[in-house]
Amino acid sequence: MNDQNRFGGGIMDKQQHYEKESAQLQIRLTRIIRLQRLKSLNKQICSPKKEQGSMVLEASLVLPVFLFFIMFLIFIVQMTLISTALQSTAGEAVKQLSTKIYPVSLAFTPSDSAGGEGSGGVGRYRSCL
């Protein structure tokens, strides 16, 4: 019986040993799989950061140009408004001046203002009657 216990015990020991080794191998495999998943996740996490960094760099280069363009458009619109206001003001001033100068120009004739021929005693003024 001792021999059977030895042989039977030896077989049991070998099975337990194989089971322990297979359990350790499974643990190692799960660890390797987890490490591979972590590496792939790390790559996925790190790559958007690089893309985000490049987007920030591109935005920092393009944003000043865009803002300068917008400011230029605002400047052009303001200058157009100022020019239009100035032109309309000058036109109104000329209209008012012309309405006030026209009666004066009727009162004086070019020959009278030059000191040439005059009719009657009043040298500069034309008779309104």
Side-chain angles (χ1 to χ4, degrees):
M1 274 216 82
N2 273 341
D3 288 336
Q4 281 182 344
N5 285 338
R6 262 193 224 162
F7 291 121
I11 292 174
M12 291 286 212
D13 286 340
K14 286 183 181 180
Q15 281 182 341
Q16 288 176 352
H17 181 67
Y18 287 133
E19 287 176 3
K20 285 182 183 179
E21 282 184 14
S22 66
Q24 288 175 351
L25 287 174
Q26 278 185 330
I27 292 171
R28 286 182 185 170
L29 283 174
T30 55
R31 286 182 183 171
I32 289 172
I33 291 170
R34 286 180 185 169
L35 284 173
Q36 288 175 348
R37 287 181 187 166
L38 285 174
K39 285 181 183 178
S40 67
L41 287 174
N42 191 19
K43 286 180 183 178
Q44 290 175 358
I45 290 171
C46 289
S47 65
K49 285 184 181 177
K50 289 180 184 177
E51 290 177 10
Q52 287 177 353
S54 66
M55 288 175 56
V56 169
L57 179 65
E58 290 172 6
S60 68
L61 292 175
V62 171
L63 187 64
V65 174
F66 179 73
L67 289 176
F68 178 74
F69 179 72
I70 295 298
M71 295 296 282
F72 179 73
L73 288 178
I74 291 171
F75 175 76
I76 293 296
V77 168
Q78 284 181 345
M79 288 300 114
T80 304
L81 290 174
I82 290 171
S83 173
T84 304
L86 185 63
Q87 190 172 5
S88 67
T89 305
E92 288 296 321
V94 166
K95 283 181 187 176
Q96 287 180 2
L97 189 63
S98 68
T99 57
K100 293 180 181 176
I101 288 182
Y102 183 69
V104 173
S105 68
L106 290 177
F108 291 104
T109 59
S111 61
D112 289 341
S113 64
E117 316 166 9
S119 62
V122 182
R124 292 188 181 196
Y125 297 105
R126 196 187 280 183
S127 67
C128 295
L129 299 172

